[in-house]
Amino acid sequence: MDGIKGKVVAITGASSGIGEAIARHLAGLGARVVLGARRVDNLKGIVAAISADGGQAVYKKLDVTDTEDVLAFANYAVEQYGTLDVFVNNAGLMPLSMVNNYKVAEWHRMIDVNVKGVLHGIAAALPIFEAKDSGQFVNITSVGDRWVGPTSTVYSATKFAVRAISDGLRQEVSGNIRVTLVAPGPTESELAETISDPALKQLAIEKFRTDLLPAAAIARAVAYAVSQPADVDVNEIVVRPTAQKAL
Ligand SMILES: NC(=O)c1ccc[n+]([C@@H]2O[C@H](COP(=O)([O-])OP(=O)(O)OC[C@H]3O[C@@H](n4cnc5c(N)ncnc54)[C@H](OP(=O)(O)O)[C@@H]3O)[C@@H](O)[C@H]2O)c1
């Protein structure tokens, strides 16, 4: 696909689900991808598979809650491939719960990963983009960035925040830096594993996690935004399963 071949794309949360699919798909289209997450064994396997298919990929252990780690991750892309063109803020978790269950540690964790992790990504990649006056952020939110219901209160709050951050950043950065938000509906991944209440997890799976999108559908949306000419900034893409009407 024009506009992707040769680009250096760093992806947080690339060890499973949507991040893994983005890495595989963009590498298949000729991007040089840099995968980050905490589960190094997963990253190793994905990088080996991409390489075996003729793609270019490297990985680095990454915890997005650690500012220095994220800085080192963005710099690693430049060390490995000489530049950084796209930074995908994808890492996230979704431990749904009712507020009056007071799962305060889970609220903190979601804010740390889903919101502060994205801000860390911006702080790490923006100076690189500004120095070369080009680059693109792709921030993965959720349909929960515009929808909230019982048990998604804090999760949706983190995604509403990332939507606000993305739109503010888009307006603040120079004319040649692009900001894209991709909001997936329910998608095949390990995300529901982060719900700690077994009954709620079962309910969420039965009510919302049917008719799931394949993670590759989100990867294709990212590829569309990245492939556009430099003067076209695809600001938002919302992707839902056709059969999913509830969210
Ligand atoms: N699947 C859906 O239905 C859906 C819908 C809307 C939006 N999303 C969003 O899509 C994004 C990806 O989630 P997914 O659905 O692909 O779920 P997933 O399979 O659970 O993937 C989540 C990724 O985030 C990483 N991660 C978690 N904490 C991290 C940390 N502290 N530092 C670095 N990486 C971390 C995980 O890697 P490690 O555990 O190896 O660190 C993993 O690679 C999330 O932002 C999620 O909110 C998903």
Side-chain angles (χ1 to χ4, degrees), residues 35-244:
L35 290 76
R38 293 163 306 167
R39 288 172 294 170
V40 168
D41 285 349
N42 286 29
L43 296 177
K44 244 182 222 170
I46 298 161
V47 163
I50 291 173
S51 306
D53 286 344
Q56 292 188 71
V58 292
Y59 71 89
K60 187 167 181 9
K61 189 173 196 298
L62 168 68
D63 184 340
V64 297
T65 66
D66 181 332
T67 323
E68 294 304 318
D69 229 23
V70 187
L71 206 56
F73 178 62
N75 289 336
Y76 183 70
V78 178
E79 283 158 31
Q80 290 294 307
Y81 292 130
T83 190
L84 177 65
D85 298 302
V86 182
F87 194 93
V88 183
N89 278 306
N90 166 75
L93 65 158
M94 187 190 68
L96 302 174
S97 68
M98 298 289 279
V99 169
N100 65 3
N101 281 340
Y102 307 110
K103 292 188 177 270
V104 177
E106 292 185 357
W107 304 345
H108 286 183
R109 193 76 197 144
M110 274 190 280
I111 291 165
D112 285 348
V113 176
N114 298 5
V115 182
K116 292 187 192 169
V118 171
L119 290 170
H120 294 160
I122 292 167
L126 188 55
I128 299 169
F129 292 167
E130 285 187 323
K132 63 179 201 153
D133 196 25
S134 72
Q136 182 172 16
F137 287 101
V138 178
N139 296 336
I140 308 297
T141 56
S142 162
V143 290
D145 72 3
R146 62 202 65 213
W147 176 92
V148 60
T151 75
S152 88
T153 306
V154 179
Y155 178 70
S156 290
T158 66
K159 296 299 187 177
F160 270 66
V162 175
R163 190 172 173 210
I165 291 163
S166 301
D167 204 42
L169 179 67
R170 178 185 66 76
Q171 296 168 63
E172 287 183 17
V173 291
S174 86
N176 294 318
I177 297 172
R178 306 190 288 180
V179 182
T180 299
L181 178 150
V182 176
T187 304
E188 284 170 4
S189 77
E190 299 177 9
L191 197 66
E193 296 306 315
T194 60
I195 304 172
S196 60
D197 176 334
L200 184 58
K201 184 173 172 178
Q202 192 55 32
L203 188 72
I205 288 170
E206 283 165 12
K207 192 164 175 206
F208 297 118
R209 299 194 67 75
T210 54
D211 306 309
L212 296 175
L213 290 167
I218 309 306
R220 290 195 297 271
V222 172
Y224 170 76
V226 172
S227 70
Q228 296 306 302
D231 60 346
V232 177
D233 186 357
V234 176
N235 300 148
E236 288 193 10
I237 304 180
V238 183
V239 188
R240 289 184 177 88
T242 309
Q244 173 63 259

